[in-house]
Amino acid sequence: MHRFRIPWSLFPVFRHSLRHAGTPRAVLVGSSWPAKMAAPAVKAARAWSGLALGLRNAVLRLPGLTQVRWSRYGPEYKDPHIDKEYYRKPLAELTEEENYERELRKTQLIKAAPATKTCSVFEDPVISKFTNMMMKGGNKVLARSLMTQTLEAVKRKQFEKYHAASAEEQATIERNPYTIFHQALKNCEPVIGLVPILRGGHFYQVPVPLGDRRRRFLAMKWMITECREKKHRRMLMPEKLSHELLEAFHNQGPVIKRKHDMHKMAEANRALAHYRWW
Amino acid sequence: TMLKGMTRLISRVHKLDAGHFLHTGSQAPQNLAAHLDNQVPVESPRAVSRTSESDPAKHGEQHEGQHYNIPLQDLKAVFPHGLPPRFVMQVKTFNEACLMVRKPALELLHYLKNTNFAHPAVRYVLYGEKGTGKTLSLCHIIHFCAKQDWLILHIPDAHLWVKNCRNLLQSTYNKQRLDQPLEASIWLKNFKTANERFLSQIKVQEKYVWNKRESTEKGSPLGEVVEQGITRVRNATDAVGIVLKELKRQSSSGIFHLLVAVDGVNALWGRTTLKREDKSPIAPEELALIYNLRKMVKNDWHGGAIVLTLSQTGSVFKPRKAFLPQELLGKEGFDTLDPFIPILVSNYNPKEFESCIQYYLENNWLQHEKAHTEDGKKELLFLSNTNPGQLERLCAYL
């Protein structure tokens, strides 16, 4: 196996010269150290060579923003429709548009569905995202088993409470682990966040409204970090996670405290809000 | 045309009212009609999953698929050890112990009711794939025998005696064999809890000398031997050996019926993971507990029955997919057990599956909104492949 070294001058500079990158580059045979950087270049080059040059580059590229994750699919690939109900509708019941859409999809190219997305009725995107965030080293089996053990632990704890409580309290106790999980994460989401902005050589923590996705991410991230770090060495993750989720469900506990700390910091740095320009 | 046929079948399924949960799948429309007639009416869903008959002696074909309740005090008295850990968790969560009545257990009950105590003890072997319910069937049988006032010799898991044993002592009785004081004392404690009333009735027929100062006279109750084993942990294994020997000798006399129930009997033959100090492996025969248990499982005594369960889950050095008696017992074990009655424990049939889901729904165990729906049930059936163990694990987090 030959080992090739590609000189830096030959690398496509994605940011400014997207126009030049239409032609295929020299294909690597070996796996040398620039291979990791050259491989996406080669892949991108291969993908582009099949398409009209310049078309892909022009679509939705903001100035100064580089695409970090390249997808092998071109823009003509549509997302797959994973929904049993959609396909179960008998042909007679479809409206004009739906019929048209179905016919159109027969000719379009469709991406392969990811392995994690199923048409199972029990699937939950929030749970999947949380499991992915808990995963370490690609060990999805372990992450998923931890998640299921956590849900089971939450359920058993709530059942214990239910059987120990009186009749009036029983109505208030929530036993569905999924509602508890969703509510707990919703309670942990911060409303406002801090962003470091460079002004006059110094970084200032400026309060900034956060988008939906960022808030959900922060809630999950705080929950996982809290459970990983602040537990006894011998305590297992499902036990700790279930405890934290139940506390967050009742608006108590360290994750909620962290959210409040974030809010207080944002309130304290209120004066710097003018540094934000968007 | 296939698509039209499928859509017609699906629309027929949708036309059924909400009560009929059965998964029709690829059945032909004629079978569908027959199935509808045979179905239990759903006006009283309790009738499908539960039965009020809590005496195992009266369980018959009509109770198949239904859960019967075991009172919690009985549970502690009859099963100080021996229930699978997940079942114990379920009992704790639901505050009730319900076992499903299934065909293999009913078959065994029928045989046990018709045992001839003058003939040598018959060996019944429950075998099946992982998670099909062998241990719980064994527990059903033990509950029946306890109700019938038999003496129950229940070894909850023979695999625990051949792996992960910390303290091995050289046996005082026989220099070649090895003692396991911890395991023996734990077993004696549980044996005492399960069979309190017999320990004073049965008298020992020999004098046993423990050491220079202690000995058990001839004619003293068996309870004394058990006490000796529990208090003097060093002699626990020998106490177990004595208990087994005495029970075997006296079961023919007719005072009591003896049920020998061993879970994971394939541990008695095969290999152990234990090693001596010089790292040489130990064969099962060299462990005193195993040696005595093998004598118990031989059918040279009469006045009772022997019910055994094979288990791959806790076994050592056996492939994961093995479940047949020949594979798990090995040549030696199979030859020793040779004339035995094999009873296959298989996955749930649709009625039992339905009953299980109903039971979980009644206890509000299935909290997920979609689990109540048709689609949810079909999915559970598919994911678990009607395997009881898998179904239980799935429903735990749904």
Side-chain angles (χ1 to χ4, degrees), chain B residues 183-212:
Chain B
E183 282 82 18
S185 58
I186 296 169
W187 185 82
L188 277 172
K189 261 189 268 218
N190 289 327
F191 177 72
K192 191 170 135 186
T193 334
N195 299 307
E196 291 276 10
R197 56 191 185 284
F198 288 106
L199 293 179
S200 40
Q201 286 174 15
I202 304 173
K203 309 284 178 218
V204 188
Q205 283 171 354
E206 248 182 54
K207 178 171 167 175
Y208 296 105
V209 179
W210 300 103
N211 49 30
K212 265 191 283 193

Side-chain angles (χ1 to χ4, degrees), chain A residues 24-233:
Chain A
R25 299 287 164 176
V27 180
L28 282 180
V29 179
S31 54
S32 48
W33 60 266
K36 283 193 204 135
M37 291 171 271
V42 174
K43 271 192 216 169
R46 269 193 239 134
W48 294 340
S49 57
L51 311 166
L53 292 172
L55 238 188
R56 201 165 171 223
N57 317 323
V59 174
L60 291 176
R61 297 290 186 265
L62 290 172
L65 266 159
T66 26
Q67 276 233 283
V68 180
R69 291 174 196 91
W70 295 97
S71 150
R72 291 224 50 181
Y73 292 116
E76 71 283 359
Y77 278 82
K78 303 291 170 213
D79 285 314
H81 209 117
I82 301 178
D83 183 16
K84 274 197 279 200
E85 296 309 319
Y86 179 79
Y87 291 107
R88 267 191 196 157
K89 265 197 199 167
L91 288 163
E93 278 187 18
L94 298 173
T95 60
E96 280 291 322
E97 299 126 3
E98 284 181 340
N99 228 337
Y100 174 73
E101 209 189 298
R102 289 257 184 124
E103 295 295 320
L104 189 62
R105 280 178 84 82
K106 283 185 195 168
T107 52
Q108 281 171 339
L109 291 163
I110 304 194
K111 296 185 199 172
T116 46
K117 218 162 173 261
T118 55
C119 56
S120 155
V121 292
F122 300 123
E123 190 189 320
D124 192 350
V126 184
I127 300 258
S128 312
K129 186 61 95 181
F130 197 82
T131 323
N132 287 342
M133 286 180 71
M134 267 214 292
M135 175 167 59
K136 269 191 186 174
N139 195 347
K140 179 75 93 104
V141 173
L142 183 63
R144 205 178 132 136
S145 70
L146 289 175
M147 193 72 227
T148 52
Q149 282 167 40
T150 310
L151 291 169
E152 192 185 331
V154 163
K155 209 188 206 184
R156 283 195 200 266
K157 283 186 191 170
Q158 290 296 94
F159 266 77
E160 289 292 314
K161 271 193 231 164
Y162 185 85
H163 288 305
S166 61
E168 310 86 47
E169 284 169 47
Q170 276 180 351
T172 52
I173 293 181
E174 173 65 57
R175 288 185 286 179
N176 188 342
Y178 292 86
T179 44
I180 292 181
F181 182 78
H182 289 138
Q183 190 56 43
L185 283 184
K186 224 180 293 197
N187 291 351
C188 289
E189 281 176 15
V191 170
I192 194 167
L194 294 170
V195 154
I197 291 190
L198 182 62
R199 272 288 196 120
H202 294 281
F203 281 99
Y204 296 99
Q205 295 290 333
V206 176
V208 131
L210 299 171
D212 253 349
R213 277 193 244 173
R214 178 76 185 156
R215 279 190 285 148
R216 280 195 286 264
F217 171 78
L218 277 177
M220 290 198 262
K221 184 84 181 170
W222 289 342
M223 181 65 80
I224 293 176
T225 337
E226 167 70 37
C227 292
R228 275 186 186 158
E229 286 162 19
K230 308 269 180 58
K231 68 175 168 73
H232 183 62
R233 187 180 56 92

Side-chain angles (χ1 to χ4, degrees), chain B residues 4-29:
Chain B
K4 267 194 229 147
M6 284 290 287
T7 45
R8 232 181 273 139
L9 194 65
I10 289 163
S11 51
R12 213 184 281 248
V13 168
H14 281 305
K15 271 193 221 133
L16 298 175
D17 44 292
H20 299 280
F21 301 115
L22 269 194
H23 167 60
T24 46
S26 51
Q27 277 179 352

